[in-house]
Amino acid sequence: MLIENLKHTLSKGVARLAGVVGAAMLLLVMSGAAHAEVPGESQFVFNTFSFLVHGFLVMWMAAGFSMLEAGLVRTKNTAMQCLKNVALFSIASIMYYLIGYNLMYSGVDGGFMGSFSLWGQDDSAAAAGKFVGDGAVGYSAASDFFFQLVFVATAASIVSGTVAERVKLWAFLAFTVVLTGIIYPIQGSWQWGGGWLSEMGFADFAGSTLVHSVGGWAALTGAIIIGARKGKYGADGTVKPMPGANLPLATLGTFILWLGWFGFNGGSQLAMGSAADAIAISNIYINTNIAAAGGVLAAIVLTQLIYKKVDLTMALNGALAGLVSITAGPDTPSLGLSAIIGAVGGVLVVVFVPLLDKLKIDDVVGAIPVHLVAGIWGTMAVPLSNADASFYTQAVGVVSIGIFVIVTSAILWFVLKMVMGGVRVSPEEEEQGLDMAECGLEAYPEFRGSQTI
Amino acid sequence: MLIENLKHTLSKGVARLAGVVGAAMLLLVMSGAAHAEVPGESQFVFNTFSFLVHGFLVMWMAAGFSMLEAGLVRTKNTAMQCLKNVALFSIASIMYYLIGYNLMYSGVDGGFMGSFSLWGQDDSAAAAGKFVGDGAVGYSAASDFFFQLVFVATAASIVSGTVAERVKLWAFLAFTVVLTGIIYPIQGSWQWGGGWLSEMGFADFAGSTLVHSVGGWAALTGAIIIGARKGKYGADGTVKPMPGANLPLATLGTFILWLGWFGFNGGSQLAMGSAADAIAISNIYINTNIAAAGGVLAAIVLTQLIYKKVDLTMALNGALAGLVSITAGPDTPSLGLSAIIGAVGGVLVVVFVPLLDKLKIDDVVGAIPVHLVAGIWGTMAVPLSNADASFYTQAVGVVSIGIFVIVTSAILWFVLKMVMGGVRVSPEEEEQGLDMAECGLEAYPEFRGSQTI
Amino acid sequence: MLIENLKHTLSKGVARLAGVVGAAMLLLVMSGAAHAEVPGESQFVFNTFSFLVHGFLVMWMAAGFSMLEAGLVRTKNTAMQCLKNVALFSIASIMYYLIGYNLMYSGVDGGFMGSFSLWGQDDSAAAAGKFVGDGAVGYSAASDFFFQLVFVATAASIVSGTVAERVKLWAFLAFTVVLTGIIYPIQGSWQWGGGWLSEMGFADFAGSTLVHSVGGWAALTGAIIIGARKGKYGADGTVKPMPGANLPLATLGTFILWLGWFGFNGGSQLAMGSAADAIAISNIYINTNIAAAGGVLAAIVLTQLIYKKVDLTMALNGALAGLVSITAGPDTPSLGLSAIIGAVGGVLVVVFVPLLDKLKIDDVVGAIPVHLVAGIWGTMAVPLSNADASFYTQAVGVVSIGIFVIVTSAILWFVLKMVMGGVRVSPEEEEQGLDMAECGLEAYPEFRGSQTI
Amino acid sequence: MKLIMAVIKPFKLEEVREALTPLGVEGMTVSEVKGFGRQKGQAEIYRGAEYMVNFLPKVKLEIAVKDDLVASIVETIQKTAQTGKIGDGKVFVYSLEQAVRIRTGESGADAL
Amino acid sequence: MKLIMAVIKPFKLEEVREALTPLGVEGMTVSEVKGFGRQKGQAEIYRGAEYMVNFLPKVKLEIAVKDDLVASIVETIQKTAQTGKIGDGKVFVYSLEQAVRIRTGESGADAL
Amino acid sequence: MKLIMAVIKPFKLEEVREALTPLGVEGMTVSEVKGFGRQKGQAEIYRGAEYMVNFLPKVKLEIAVKDDLVASIVETIQKTAQTGKIGDGKVFVYSLEQAVRIRTGESGADAL
Ligand SMILES: Nc1ncnc2c1ncn2[C@@H]1O[C@H](COP(=O)(O)OP(=O)(O)O)[C@@H](O)[C@H]1O
Ligand SMILES: Nc1ncnc2c1ncn2[C@@H]1O[C@H](COP(=O)(O)OP(=O)(O)O)[C@@H](O)[C@H]1O
Ligand SMILES: Nc1ncnc2c1ncn2[C@@H]1O[C@H](COP(=O)(O)OP(=O)(O)O)[C@@H](O)[C@H]1O
């Protein structure tokens, strides 16, 4: 039974081969004993429950991104940032149903995309009494849909943070429609849908590349095409900081994301109906946690050394960078290696945030260092602990997905520019703040804040 | 075993008949196969775990209401709003133990109320080795108590938002004592306790009517009896907006509620010990999610069309209205229909918020459109996808519970008025803010805010 | 099977004997029936899942402490408070792996500490097909590690609140390293590691003493050694209140902690693979909840009586005191007794907060009344409902751990004073606020706040 | 030209502004201030310690006007902002030597 | 000595401050105010009700200076703070009788 | 009548207020301002970019008083608010032409 279950997991996601290896090795050790004690229907319930619990944790990350971004923008753009995050989650929920899921998972067969069709639940195997093993799915269709859906929203949230404070609401929402309905699912099909990348042996357990760097590339493309905020970079190369207005909110957002990440990585085991799976998920939890811790401590120590002060926003980004870094392979490394992988992520953030400013790429919340740079690092670090992954294949995945996302999202931004008469608000509206300009209300109407003093 | 379990679920809650139908149909399909693989004690653990996990999600909604309301009142009433929410949850926890639970569930038998007695756990069937099936309960008594308890608090939270910024603290708390100890349990017994409404075939899976519209009716009655905030409506019919002081907090509250709703609706399946239940819960999750998404998008598009700007507070209310709308029947509709049901909820909010202002009914946080109007809509929408529900019976439920709650809460407010010398603070205290007047402290003592500029 | 499981639980933690008694009694009743229906591997999965779910709830408490403390300090120290909380959780994550876990659990054998070694997961029993019973562990090693780890951070968070607004960042972090790596694990080994206290029959189910009062003692020692905030106490005995800057945030923090506590106490059952365990956990949930409710209501009523106003911050502390009070024995009391135990906690807070001020012990967030005083009360209250606990043994535990923590943390603070040239920022830096002084940024840069008006 | 500076209760602001418009007041500058005077602050409690908040929220108006308008404006403010309860505030007048409108560079009474 | 009080658009503050430094302005006091003038506020919508926000955020500068600097400072402020759009603000000047530096007790022009 | 305007360090406010009471000061109006002067702001870092915060938080007092009290009040403020460190602030005095108490309509020195 356990073997069947594992087979199933393997067949569903050759894509996640790397991730399963840990469990598989454990299984080999176990296979001598009479251990197959979890009945099939129990396994089905366990697997489904895992998707639901881990799925709601990932759903909760939407709140995390909202709070992080609402805390890191200036007051005058805060309501807009909240609005964008609520809206994008809603759009993702609907687009993934209309197009995304089947484009990502249905009939990919080693190719470049699935099919264009509405998703609908098929629980016929379970209804026929086949819960796990041959011909069975192993979990309820809707629980899997739920879990995959909440991942999509993550990618869109990343973009929203980078292009904050200047992008037009409706341009951003239109971008989100295509990102969550088409761009994300197509590249996702290459790996998790069982497409060409997964056949090559690419390893990306929970999405350092498939989710985070995708969001990061789209954000980078957007930041370049849309341009920096007015006044951010002086002609003489000076950088004008525009401090986030509410750091406790940003801290809350980071903790929410940290919590949600247990769902993100843990749930990506895709099963929980056996001791082997339970062990694997547990290991993923602690690796995920220590990677975040490593990211925080690296960022703290480094900012202390460089600036003689500790930058809270860097510590928060450090946590997230640690989490992104471990996401490609949270199942195979030891605790110690996980801490180091996360710490490197934290270092990358401290280095890349000012570097982007040098390049005049204006990333309001630091999403590019966190999700793109650490996402690449995390993907390339998989072979350190996973013998089935190779640096070459990892690089192929990173580059091919990078090119795909850059090209498609660049085209998309340009089309939107033409269709909507620009994707950026007017300089006056930017000065005034998007809250007044596009929402007609203020996030904190009673707290007078001035952006200038 | 599975059949027994289902029987049990049915017998416990003929009340929730409608909700079980989906699972029942699935079961019929399944019944040919040898699927009864989940051992009885495992089912017991699964069912209990489902109550606990979904219960803590619903408990978390208390934080959601607090943040939503704290964000939508003005600074000078914010600490009070927090206090009320912490206190009402505490009161509900105690009243439901002292009176509520048994009044709702013990010995209703098709009648109009249960019995007046302290609740106490009875796990004797399980102790005798009967975990599911005949004579068994199927879950631990305390897990069920916990799950039901957290629902009660929701109803009280709804009232607190509507009558904010003017109701006296102790009058509100006294109202809460009776609402959670007596009013809510009595009407709850009619349906979930197996009373007369459930015998009629009323369908309200997770409480669009039993929880949300109950809160909504009590809120409406309170708003009318207590009257509008000073200065809210000009003699000439002008409406003076009193913008909420902290919209990111309101956004956070909405996300918390959205998350909690997976527990609210998912847990209302009342079981999780079989593949059929797991499938049902999964479907409930995705329907719940897409209804919220539909509500958000409807509200965004509509406010853009009407006001040429997008009102974040309407988008947030739209999410909640979508959630309330699907709550009466999250188990039977398709994903597409769920999205539409939610979207209608979002439209209702955008229409009813200004309408209430026209009627000079001052609902500070929009709880009446969200919980009452969308609650009625959701209840009436059940027959669209559930063949066992009829519009007539749904209307009977809506109306009878509406009348009951209006009458009892009106009496209660009047009694409180007499006993406490008014349920409303003095005009000076209202001007000054309830925080200073009744708490003697300020929510944000360092951020000077003026309500006038 | 169930019996074996119970035996295991017993053997792992004679330490938690008291906690198991409830389940054990239930079990005796059950033992006649043929109930052992949960297969071993299912039990393993259930137990592991319980550790993970309850563990992530406890992890979430880190966010709760951050928000509570960020809301109760003044604006100028808010970013620092966030930073300290993120950092201490990270430090705990790493120190517990490097030293703590094995110092607490490995080879204590009735003694005074475990061994100094890195933790590493050992799932060999499960790999050999032994899931529960003789020779088995019953859950995945990493899930247990995760659950224990998140407890450690709690103790450190407590200290951070008390010594806020004046302690140097790096001094505090250094203190945290030793607290989480050495002090906490050593005293933890006495009881949960199976050391001398557990052999005496001390009962502390989830850590009123082992976690909360440990944090409280360390906080008290710190508050005394570091001294009060500048200007807090006048020469003439007047107390200058320094109101917390953001009470909705403090409210949110309290709700987060309340939610997390279901994990804290519920997960401490350490198993969930049988009906008896599921029943025990459910009882723990409702007792925990009603204790918090009791604490809130006691604090509200008492502040109303004493001050004629209701102090929100006391209500919040009341909730937490209720939770701490029930933590030593959430499994044995009835619901009613639990409410009373919690209410006494709430009373203690209202009494001890001003008392500490009289003693010029400056506890910024009220952590000493909440965690230390209520922690002692909770520990001493165990024998009220648990026949296996005695007042004498409870007192021995409270006193011995108190002395140990006071002595070690006093030494530690003094060593840090010498090594770091003081553990306290300069008066100018304190005046200016730690955010500017040590972080070089502001928590709310746009909301001008003055501490003086 | 004179500058009239008035300190009033916050909730009177809108009323005062409306009362001044018909007199020809076309501009004013408003700030949030805290006032200390005969009206004593209120007791707050925080965590068991009672304390006085000595400073109460007020709103300060600054209005530059031509000399001939001063009397009527001062009177109107005094009348409109009055509640008769302690803490109603004050009106002060002092002399302005110069006024310039930034947009146009106009100066003197034209700039007001 | 004169006191120059200017009300300007917030985002002009930094520019004005930089323009004044070469003139010998060594100090100033800045506050956030709300202005009401020819420039009308903006419509906000809140929950379906539209309303006017009549007061717009401005920044007020107070600069005490020796008499001989007044003209150049007023002119510089007027030029630098100008955008040409309505709402640019005003500069007012009035007479100061005394000035004291708290740190040293110096008084008169030396205190500035 | 004169108006005394003082800009001081925020934490000195309470002390100054207490020192003035015995002199017969019965009211004052306080606002939060930012000051720029010899005392330079502090470097802040935000996400890897260092920048100067040029304006430091100060508190501004406005006290209207009868002429004969001016000297003692100015002196007391100067003495009490002094820390001897840079940034202690300034005291300015100018002439008031009129003062009205809104509650009663009293004017002149009686209104103070
Ligand atoms: N001498 C003064 N100088 C400046 N402002 C004053 C003075 N006296 C009073 N105020 C301001 O006027 C407000 C009202 O004064 P107060 O004495 O409380 O009431 P009333 O004017 O009704 O006697 C005070 O809060 C303060 O802002
Ligand atoms: N008479 C006045 N007294 C004091 N402040 C004024 C006066 N008139 C205008 N102001 C200030 O100047 C600002 C700009 O004035 P406004 O009339 O809107 O534009 P403009 O000066 O370009 O005609 C106002 O917002 C207000 O703060
Ligand atoms: N010319 C001026 N006009 C108005 N305010 C001034 C002036 N010079 C200084 N100030 C105010 O006084 C404060 C202290 O001045 P500063 O030059 O920093 O220190 P000090 O007075 O000790 O030499 C400044 O922050 C500013 O608010």
Side-chain angles (χ1 to χ4, degrees), chain B residues 72 241 243-244 307 309 311 313-314 317 353 365-366 453, chain E residues 32 34 42-51 53 55:
Chain B
L72 290 180
Y307 303 108
K309 308 234 168 175
D311 187 329
T313 67
M314 289 288 194
N317 277 176
V353 166
V365 306
I453 301 201
Chain E
E32 291 170 343
K34 300 253 166 162
Q42 213 199 336
E44 300 202 7
I45 317 156
Y46 184 75
R47 307 185 67 64
E50 243 177 288
Y51 64 110
V53 175
F55 292 96

Side-chain angles (χ1 to χ4, degrees), chain A residues 44-121:
Chain A
F44 185 95
V45 177
F46 273 129
N47 294 342
T48 301
F49 204 14
S50 168
F51 271 142
L52 295 179
V53 169
H54 291 120
F56 74 62
L57 288 180
V58 183
M59 179 270 155
W60 183 225
M61 292 171 73
F65 281 110
S66 298
M67 293 303 108
L68 180 68
E69 296 174 12
L72 290 179
V73 298
R74 289 168 295 169
T75 336
K76 63 180 178 183
N77 298 308
T78 303
M80 175 52 89
Q81 208 56 25
C82 291
L83 178 61
K84 275 180 195 148
N85 274 281
V86 174
L88 75 84
F89 190 82
S90 303
I91 289 174
S93 294
I94 288 184
M95 290 311 297
Y96 203 59
Y97 155 61
L98 292 180
I99 310 182
Y101 188 93
N102 280 351
L103 189 55
M104 184 155 163
Y105 286 110
S106 169
V108 182
D109 293 328
F112 289 86
M113 66 170 78
S115 64
F116 281 91
S117 52
L118 279 188
W119 177 82
Q121 51 265 73

Side-chain angles (χ1 to χ4, degrees), chain A residues 39-41 45 48-49 66 82 89-90 93 97 121 123 127 131 140 142 149 170 436-439 443 445-446 448, chain B residues 30 33 35 37 49 74-75 244-245 247 251 255 272 274-275 279 282-283 289 296 304 309-311 335-336 448-449 451:
Chain A
E41 191 173 351
V45 177
T48 301
F49 204 14
S66 298
C82 291
F89 190 82
S90 303
S93 294
Y97 155 61
Q121 51 265 73
D123 286 312
F131 299 117
S140 104
L149 156 67
W170 289 99
M436 286 297 300
E438 298 211 282
C439 292
E446 298 182 33
R448 280 188 318 162
Chain B
M30 285 181 175
H35 58 274
E37 297 188 58
F49 203 15
R74 289 168 294 169
T75 338
L247 297 192
T251 306
F255 272 117
M272 158 116 192
S274 67
I279 290 169
S282 305
N283 290 334
N289 186 64
V296 168
Q304 173 71 34
K309 308 234 168 175
V310 177
D311 187 329
L335 256 187
R448 280 187 318 161
Q451 284 69 40

Side-chain angles (χ1 to χ4, degrees), chain A residues 60-420:
Chain A
W60 183 225
M61 292 171 73
F65 281 110
S66 298
M67 293 303 108
L68 180 68
E69 296 174 12
L72 290 179
V73 298
R74 289 168 295 169
T75 336
K76 63 180 178 183
N77 298 308
T78 303
M80 175 52 89
Q81 208 56 25
C82 291
L83 178 61
K84 275 180 195 148
N85 274 281
V86 174
L88 75 84
F89 190 82
S90 303
I91 289 174
S93 294
I94 288 184
M95 290 311 297
Y96 203 59
Y97 155 61
L98 292 180
I99 310 182
Y101 188 93
N102 280 351
L103 189 55
M104 184 155 163
Y105 286 110
S106 169
V108 182
D109 293 328
F112 289 86
M113 66 170 78
S115 64
F116 281 91
S117 52
L118 279 188
W119 177 82
Q121 51 265 73
D122 175 5
D123 286 312
S124 54
K130 291 191 192 155
F131 299 117
V132 288
D134 264 353
V137 183
Y139 38 72
S140 104
S143 69
D144 169 49
F145 177 78
F146 180 64
F147 189 70
Q148 303 304 337
L149 156 67
V150 287
F151 271 60
V152 188
T154 301
S157 293
I158 295 165
V159 183
S160 115
T162 295
V163 299
E165 306 205 313
R166 57 211 195 270
V167 75
K168 275 187 194 167
L169 172 63
W170 289 99
F172 174 76
L173 296 186
F175 185 85
T176 304
V177 166
V178 181
L179 180 71
T180 60
I182 299 188
I183 299 178
Y184 173 91
I186 287 183
Q187 60 85 33
S189 76
W190 299 355
Q191 171 73 0
W192 291 345
W196 68 275
L197 254 183
S198 79
E199 303 223 324
M200 267 190 79
F202 183 58
D204 188 8
F205 189 81
S208 284
T209 290
L210 268 82
V211 180
H212 294 281
S213 82
V214 164
W217 290 119
L220 178 64
T221 314
I224 293 172
I225 293 177
I226 297 173
R229 283 168 294 173
K230 213 183 143 210
K232 176 72 191 173
Y233 303 113
D236 55 344
T238 53
V239 175
K240 185 173 166 225
M242 299 176 167
N246 195 329
L247 298 192
L249 226 51
T251 306
L252 175 65
T254 303
F255 273 116
I256 292 176
L257 290 166
W258 193 323
L259 171 62
W261 231 286
F262 296 115
F264 204 93
N265 288 357
S268 291
Q269 176 70 11
L270 303 180
M272 159 115 193
S274 68
D277 284 319
I279 291 168
I281 294 179
S282 305
N283 290 334
I284 291 168
Y285 267 56
I286 60 174
N287 287 345
T288 300
N289 186 64
I290 210 165
V296 168
L297 295 181
I300 287 179
V301 169
L302 212 60
T303 54
Q304 174 71 33
L305 293 178
I306 301 178
Y307 303 109
K308 310 284 168 259
K309 308 235 167 175
V310 177
D311 187 330
L312 169 63
T313 66
M314 289 288 195
L316 301 179
N317 277 175
L320 301 180
L323 289 163
V324 171
S325 302
I326 200 67
T327 293
D331 53 336
T332 48
S334 67
L335 257 187
L337 180 57
S338 299
I340 292 165
I341 289 174
V344 173
V347 170
L348 289 172
V349 156
V350 177
V351 171
F352 272 82
V353 166
L355 198 69
L356 282 176
D357 271 341
K358 289 243 163 62
L359 300 171
K360 304 203 177 180
I361 294 172
D362 185 11
D363 176 6
V364 179
V365 305
I368 295 169
V370 165
H371 298 277
L372 178 56
V373 179
I376 294 174
W377 152 243
T379 308
M380 299 311 299
V382 173
L384 297 181
S385 64
N386 185 335
D388 292 297
S390 80
F391 289 109
Y392 170 72
T393 324
Q394 297 301 90
V396 169
V398 166
V399 171
S400 58
I401 288 180
I403 292 173
F404 174 74
V405 176
I406 291 172
V407 170
T408 50
S409 59
I411 293 173
L412 182 51
W413 283 121
F414 281 121
V415 169
L416 290 172
K417 252 192 183 172
M418 289 191 333
V419 174
M420 307 195 114

Side-chain angles (χ1 to χ4, degrees), chain C residues 102-304:
Chain C
N102 280 351
L103 189 55
M104 184 155 163
Y105 285 110
S106 169
V108 183
D109 293 327
F112 289 85
M113 65 170 77
S115 63
F116 282 91
S117 52
L118 278 189
W119 177 83
Q121 52 264 75
D122 174 5
D123 287 310
S124 54
K130 292 190 192 155
F131 299 116
V132 288
D134 264 353
V137 183
Y139 39 72
S140 104
S143 69
D144 170 48
F145 176 79
F146 180 63
F147 189 70
Q148 303 304 338
L149 155 67
V150 285
F151 271 60
V152 189
T154 301
S157 294
I158 295 166
V159 183
S160 114
T162 294
V163 300
E165 306 205 310
R166 57 214 195 269
V167 74
K168 276 186 194 170
L169 172 63
W170 288 99
F172 174 76
L173 296 186
F175 184 85
T176 303
V177 166
V178 182
L179 180 70
T180 60
I182 298 187
I183 299 178
Y184 174 91
I186 287 181
Q187 61 85 33
S189 76
W190 298 355
Q191 171 73 0
W192 292 345
W196 67 275
L197 254 182
S198 79
E199 304 223 322
M200 267 191 78
F202 184 57
D204 188 8
F205 190 80
S208 284
T209 290
L210 269 82
V211 181
H212 294 281
S213 82
V214 165
W217 290 119
L220 178 65
T221 314
I224 292 172
I225 294 176
I226 298 173
R229 285 168 292 172
K230 213 183 142 209
K232 175 73 189 171
Y233 303 113
D236 54 345
T238 54
V239 175
K240 186 171 167 227
M242 300 176 166
N246 196 329
L247 298 192
L249 226 51
T251 306
L252 175 65
T254 303
F255 273 117
I256 293 176
L257 290 166
W258 194 324
L259 170 62
W261 232 285
F262 296 115
F264 204 93
N265 287 357
S268 290
Q269 176 70 10
L270 304 179
M272 157 116 194
S274 67
D277 284 319
I279 291 169
I281 295 180
S282 305
N283 290 334
I284 291 168
Y285 267 56
I286 60 173
N287 288 345
T288 300
N289 187 65
I290 209 165
V296 168
L297 294 182
I300 287 180
V301 170
L302 212 60
T303 54
Q304 174 71 35

Side-chain angles (χ1 to χ4, degrees), chain B residues 4 7-8 11 122-138:
Chain B
E4 286 169 352
K7 261 199 215 141
H8 163 70
S11 74
D122 175 6
D123 286 311
S124 54
K130 292 190 194 157
F131 299 117
V132 288
D134 265 352
V137 183

Side-chain angles (χ1 to χ4, degrees), chain B residues 39-41 45 48-49 66 82 89-90 93 97 121 123 127-128 131 140 142 170 436-439 441 443 445-446 448, chain C residues 30 33 35 37 49 74-75 244-245 247 251 255 272 274-275 279 282-283 289 296 304 309-311 335-336 448-449 451:
Chain B
E41 191 173 351
V45 177
T48 301
F49 203 15
S66 299
C82 292
F89 190 81
S90 303
S93 295
Y97 155 61
Q121 50 265 74
D123 286 311
F131 299 117
S140 104
W170 289 100
M436 285 298 299
E438 298 211 281
C439 292
L441 45 68
E446 298 182 34
R448 280 187 318 161
Chain C
M30 284 183 178
H35 57 275
E37 297 188 59
F49 203 16
R74 289 168 294 169
T75 338
L247 298 192
T251 306
F255 273 117
M272 157 116 194
S274 67
I279 291 169
S282 305
N283 290 334
N289 187 65
V296 168
Q304 174 71 35
K309 309 234 168 177
V310 178
D311 187 329
L335 257 187
R448 280 188 318 162
Q451 284 71 40

